[in-house]
Each structure stands twice: as structure tokens, then as C-alpha cells.
Amino acid sequence: MKYFSTRGDSEELSFEEAVLTGLAPDGGLYIPASIPQLPANWQQAWANKTFPDLSIEILSLFISPDEIPPADLAALVHTTYNTSAWRHPDITPLKPLTNEDPCARYILELFHGPTYAFKDVALQLLGNLFSYFLQRRNKAKSPGEEREKLTVVGATSGDTGSAAIYGLRGKPDVSIFILHPKGRVSPIQEAQMTTVTDENVHNLAVKGTFDDCQDIVKALFADTTFNAKHHLGAVNSINWARILAQTVYYFLSYFAIRRALPTNTGPELQFIVPTGNFGDILAGYYAKRMGLPMGKLVIATNANDILTRFWRTGRYEKVDSSLIPDSPSAIGGVVETLSPAMDILVSSNFERLLWYLAFENAQNTNPGVGDLRETACQTVKDWMDKVKSVGRIVVPDSVLELARRDFTAERVDDDQIRQTIRKYYTSPSKSYTADPHTAVGLHVAGVLTPPPGAIQIVLSTAHPAKFSEAVSSALAGVPGFDFDAVLPEAFKTLLMMERRVIDVERPDVELVKGVVERFAVV
């Protein structure tokens, strides 16, 4: 399996090269040259597999055994998803939200890893992949030859940072630099990052927004001289390995539902995904393209609703132009919400979906004319250049219809988040404490009209204790609510621990370069 850039760089990379490179030199994202189909007997052969064993099966479809021998891949996966590092034996357990039989709505809990967020599922694996590739390369070097090193840089709106840090802390030949928007992550999220004092871990608090941080990271990758000197690696969901790792829990939940039904049949599944950077739901799209049965994937956004507006209008724009119709461009700011990990202006992974939409549209409108892959790459490059220059693109109606075939989208505001947290906590059927991001998905699930007999699965992306202010304000005055009962023991001393953080006074790529130059492993 080879990988290529969504923007047309002619070079095809191996899985190892795509993982270590992260962002393509032309600014595009790596995608597989083809999407493999599931084995003919997958429903029977995989029906009772554990999370690690499912991971091995799915990763093997995208990774050549010549790159990672099967025994090595199995060891990597089992090291990543061992029960001592996860608080639930299923890794990502599926839980019913009502006592009805059969239950029509489930929650897929993705927060049982080291940092209590769904990012652990992919970043624990990515950290081990980085180590595996570096160790193999350095082992092959001659005595006295310079060791190969990796400088990992990433931007976080909250959870990616701590998950990446926990996945890479203390690993040899790796430095990690995580940029977060100062004052725009929750206190627990900030503490989880900045209390890790391993020498190879560096936290940068940037005075700006997540999008500012993300733009700096992309600029660092685009600087070929700087990139070559420091061998940059990506941990954000622009890294293909993260998307691949996340496809597994869609399969796991499918089999869990089948086992829960008396007839062991497969009803239509409707996955509802709280969405910011589009990585989590894109993993579901790949699972669907591989052959996993499901209905339309449901995008649940907060007030930063660039994706919801795209599915309604076909306009991908930073600011809703219908509110400012005379504006020649659409440059605006991020709205601060109760679900800060989704406070994102531009969804990086959306570019990957745009490529598939552009390819299929070219296939439908100009069959047999030219190189369809090249055409799709050029279309995506033109679109993304326009997003960068004027903050807006409008796709053809035919592209929008293709997008609507596999997805639908809804927007949720802060009042609805509070109401939803309260509704599920006080439910007479079964009480559930949701974090504000999960509440976005739960609210959307409640306003949808699913097909008859369909089962809804809401992805729960973080433990509620990570967002104490939002949960406590939503449940203020509710009899019997005690936040200490929600708070994990690991969090109770976190805010009092020693911290190490570097303040960056403005979103300036040169300032960040200076920090990397000073602290990177050489």
C-alpha cells in the first residue's frame, strides 16, 4: 500500500514514510492509493475479536507485511492496548443509554486511556510506531553514524496535546513540542500537558487561537530547510496513522451491537460524532468505504459550525457569508464555547474527504478523460488555496450531493449543551454524566429522526471530569450531584503539581522556531 498527497505531489510514500512525514511538502494530507475492501468472511471471522485483535486485522489491510512483519505489528498493537494502560478491558466500551430492550441509543466511550480522551486510542499507537521506526532505522546504522531523530510538533485545542505527550514522553531520539492557545483549554487539560516534566516534552502556550497554533505547525512543515534540519513529525490528525487507528472502534461497536441483539443481525447503525477537526468522523467514513454497514454519518458541531454550514449550503467558509453578504472574503474568529476541543475555524481533515468528493465528481462528469487522480488533486489544491486566500469556497451542486449521500450535519449551542448534560444526568431511565463535547452529540441524536429500527451510537470523546466548569454549571442545583464523585483520583492532585510551560507572546512562527531550535534533541 502506498500513500500520496491530496494536493498532487507525484511522490508515493510507504506507510512508514507517510507516518514519519506527517504533512506532505505541498501542504496536502496523505491518503492511501486505494481503500481496501474487507475480506469475504470478515463478519464471521472477526465477530468475537478483541479491540487489539481487530486492530491487527484492520491495520494489516493498510500496512504491507514487508514494512511491518505480522509478528512485529501484533506486538506493537498488544503493547499499545494492554489492559494495564487502559481502564476498561474493551478499550472503547459500548454502553446502552436506556433500559429498553432492545436499546435504540448507545454511547461509545472512547475516554478510557491514560489521558481520559479519545485521542489516546490513536496517539498511544502513533507513539509506539514512531519508536519502532526510529529504532529500526538506528539499528541499521554503522558504528559512529549519526542517529536519526524526530522532532514532533503539534497543535492542540485541549486533548491532542496531553494524549501526544503521554504517548511520547521519555522516548529516545524524540522531542515533542505542543502548542496550545493560552487560556483556551480547560484547567485539567492544561495541567495534564504542563505537569509532564520529562526532558523531551515542551509545552508552548501561544497567545492566540487553536487555528493560529495549527497554522504555525503547518508553516513549520512547509519550511523545507527547517523541516530537513529537525526531521519534523506530526501528531495532529493530519497524520494518517491517527485516522487509521480510529477506524477500529467503529468495527468494535458494530460487532457489540450484533451480539446484543437476539437474532445476532445487523440493523442500520447511525453514528453521531462530535466534530471539530473532522478526524474522528473521517475514520468512520473510511470504515464505511471499506464495507462496514452503516447509515449516514452524523456530524455534530458546536457554534463553530463551518461543517454544518457546508452541508446546508455547499459553502466552506470561515464566516457565514449570509450574515455579511457584501464581504469579499470570509475571515473571522473562533467562538469560545463550552466544548473547547471543537472550537476550530478550519477542519484540517476535511481536505481528505474533499479529495474523494472531487475524484468521484470527476469520475461522474468526465469519465475516461485524463488522469482522474491528478484532476482531483488539482481541484483540492485550488480549493484549499482559495480557503487560505479568501476564506471561502463554493463547491458545485454535484459535489454537495455526493457529500450529502454519506453525511448529514447539525449545530448545537451552549444552552443546548447545558440542557443535554442536565437531561441525561437526571434521566429516570438511566443516569449518565456527559462531558460537553459528548453532549453535542447527544443533543443531535435527540433531534434526528433515524430510520425505523436503526440504532444510534453517539461517540463520547472525553471524560466529564476534564470539563468541570461546564458540567458543574449545567448540573448546578440538581439534588445529589457531587462533582467529586465524578472526579478520578488521578485528577485530584493534578492541579497542584509542578508545571513547565513556555509562553509565546503572539502567534509568530519565528518565535516558535526559536523555541524548537533551543530545545530539540540534537
Side-chain angles (χ1 to χ4, degrees):
M1 177 68 77
K2 295 291 186 179
Y3 296 84
F4 66 92
S5 169
T6 51
R7 300 191 191 181
D9 191 318
S10 59
E11 184 180 12
E12 287 194 341
L13 272 59
S14 66
F15 177 76
E16 176 179 351
E17 292 167 333
V19 169
L20 290 176
T21 305
L23 187 69
D26 62 3
L29 307 184
Y30 289 112
I31 58 176
S34 62
I35 299 176
Q37 294 302 291
L38 299 173
N41 67 336
W42 70 275
Q43 288 184 312
Q44 293 73 39
W46 297 1
N48 296 302
K49 287 188 179 292
T50 62
F51 189 100
D53 289 337
L54 266 180
S55 294
I56 294 166
E57 295 288 355
I58 293 166
L59 268 59
S60 297
L61 298 176
F62 290 87
I63 305 170
S64 166
D66 295 333
E67 279 201 74
I68 303 181
D72 287 3
L73 182 60
L76 270 169
V77 169
H78 283 290
T79 298
T80 300
Y81 303 114
N82 69 82
T83 52
S84 64
W86 298 79
R87 294 180 305 281
H88 197 285
D90 293 341
I91 308 299
T92 58
L94 188 71
K95 298 184 177 180
L97 279 170
T98 71
N99 291 320
E100 298 170 359
D101 188 16
C103 179
R105 185 174 299 160
Y106 287 78
I107 198 91
L108 181 59
E109 291 186 342
L110 307 177
F111 54 72
H112 291 279
T115 70
Y116 295 77
F118 84 97
K119 309 291 179 74
D120 288 322
V121 176
L123 283 166
Q124 286 291 306
L125 177 65
L126 182 58
N128 288 329
L129 283 169
F130 282 157
S131 287
Y132 176 82
F133 292 138
L134 284 177
Q135 288 175 15
R136 185 167 66 181
R137 290 182 174 198
N138 286 326
K139 188 177 180 180
K141 291 183 178 294
S142 303
E145 191 176 355
E146 184 179 356
R147 292 178 66 82
E148 190 159 332
K149 298 177 176 66
L150 190 68
T151 302
V152 173
V153 292
T156 185
S157 55
D159 287 331
T160 291
S162 57
I165 287 167
Y166 276 64
L168 290 169
R169 62 187 301 181
K171 291 194 181 295
D173 302 315
V174 177
S175 300
I176 178 168
F177 296 82
I178 294 295
L179 287 65
H180 71 267
K182 186 172 183 177
R184 293 196 175 200
V185 298
S186 80
I188 288 290
Q189 288 175 316
E190 182 181 347
Q192 280 188 311
M193 292 186 285
T194 58
T195 56
V196 177
T197 56
D198 296 64
E199 289 186 1
N200 72 323
V201 174
H202 310 281
N203 283 284
L204 286 70
V206 179
K207 191 174 182 180
T209 67
F210 168 75
D211 288 85
D212 292 328
C213 296
Q214 191 160 247
D215 287 345
I216 291 171
V217 169
K218 290 179 179 178
L220 293 176
F221 276 93
D223 186 328
T224 53
T225 302
F226 187 83
N227 196 336
K229 178 180 179 180
H230 291 285
H231 300 99
L232 299 185
V235 289
N236 283 86
S237 53
I238 57 176
N239 194 306
W240 164 250
R242 280 192 54 181
I243 306 302
L244 179 56
Q246 291 171 194
T247 61
V248 177
Y249 45 71
Y250 286 90
F251 285 88
L252 191 79
S253 58
Y254 169 79
F255 287 118
I257 291 294
R258 289 192 65 182
R259 289 193 298 269
L261 295 177
T263 56
N264 197 31
T265 57
E268 180 171 323
L269 300 184
Q270 184 180 66
F271 288 98
I272 299 100
V273 188
T275 305
N277 228 8
F278 206 73
D280 208 5
I281 198 163
L282 184 70
Y285 174 75
Y286 276 106
K288 185 175 185 178
R289 289 286 302 268
M290 291 166 67
L292 184 67
M294 67 177 77
K296 288 186 179 183
L297 287 151
V298 182
I299 301 160
T301 72
N302 63 15
N304 296 287
D305 59 350
I306 184 172
L307 294 169
T308 300
R309 287 185 280 111
F310 172 81
W311 259 268
R312 290 178 180 171
T313 67
R315 296 193 302 268
Y316 186 67
E317 53 189 2
K318 296 181 180 180
V319 171
D320 188 350
S321 60
S322 67
L323 303 178
I324 44 173
D326 297 327
S327 172
S329 65
I331 307 297
V334 176
V335 178
E336 290 191 56
T337 74
L338 292 175
S339 48
M342 295 158 59
D343 289 350
I344 294 170
L345 205 60
V346 175
S347 301
S348 289
N349 270 292
F350 187 54
E351 180 170 337
R352 285 185 165 113
L353 178 66
L354 284 175
W355 188 91
Y356 290 105
L357 298 177
F359 181 87
E360 189 171 352
N361 188 60
Q363 200 172 39
N364 293 342
T365 55
N366 297 296
V369 177
D371 185 324
L372 293 178
R373 181 167 122 178
E374 185 178 319
T375 299
C377 288
Q378 186 59 51
T379 299
V380 169
K381 183 182 184 303
D382 292 344
W383 282 342
M384 300 316 295
D385 286 347
K386 198 169 183 181
V387 169
K388 185 175 182 179
S389 62
V390 300
R392 174 192 302 153
I393 59 168
V394 182
V395 302
D397 289 345
S398 54
V399 170
L400 181 58
E401 288 308 307
L402 291 171
R404 287 173 172 170
R405 179 191 62 198
D406 292 317
F407 296 87
T408 187
E410 295 288 342
R411 175 189 189 275
V412 180
D413 62 33
D414 277 359
D415 284 342
Q416 292 166 328
I417 289 173
R418 291 190 189 93
Q419 292 164 12
T420 303
I421 292 172
R422 197 176 186 95
K423 171 185 173 182
Y424 277 87
Y425 182 80
T426 59
S427 169
S429 172
K430 181 174 286 192
S431 177
Y432 191 83
T433 308
D435 90 286
H437 306 80
T438 303
V440 171
L442 288 169
H443 177 82
V444 170
V447 301
L448 294 173
T449 304
I455 291 178
Q456 293 181 318
I457 298 177
V458 179
L459 274 60
S460 180
T461 56
H463 191 286
K466 298 196 78 167
F467 303 94
S468 57
E469 293 180 10
V471 174
S472 295
S473 67
L475 298 179
V478 174
F481 172 69
D482 179 5
F483 192 78
D484 282 345
V486 178
L487 200 63
E489 284 296 322
F491 286 8
K492 292 182 179 178
T493 57
L494 193 60
L495 296 176
M496 307 300 294
M497 293 172 63
E498 174 192 355
R499 302 188 187 201
R500 196 174 77 221
V501 62
I502 301 164
D503 286 320
V504 180
E505 61 187 31
R506 61 183 181 277
D508 185 328
V509 68
E510 295 302 322
L511 292 177
V512 174
K513 279 184 183 179
V515 174
V516 175
E517 293 279 6
R518 181 180 174 190
F519 292 106
V521 174
V522 294

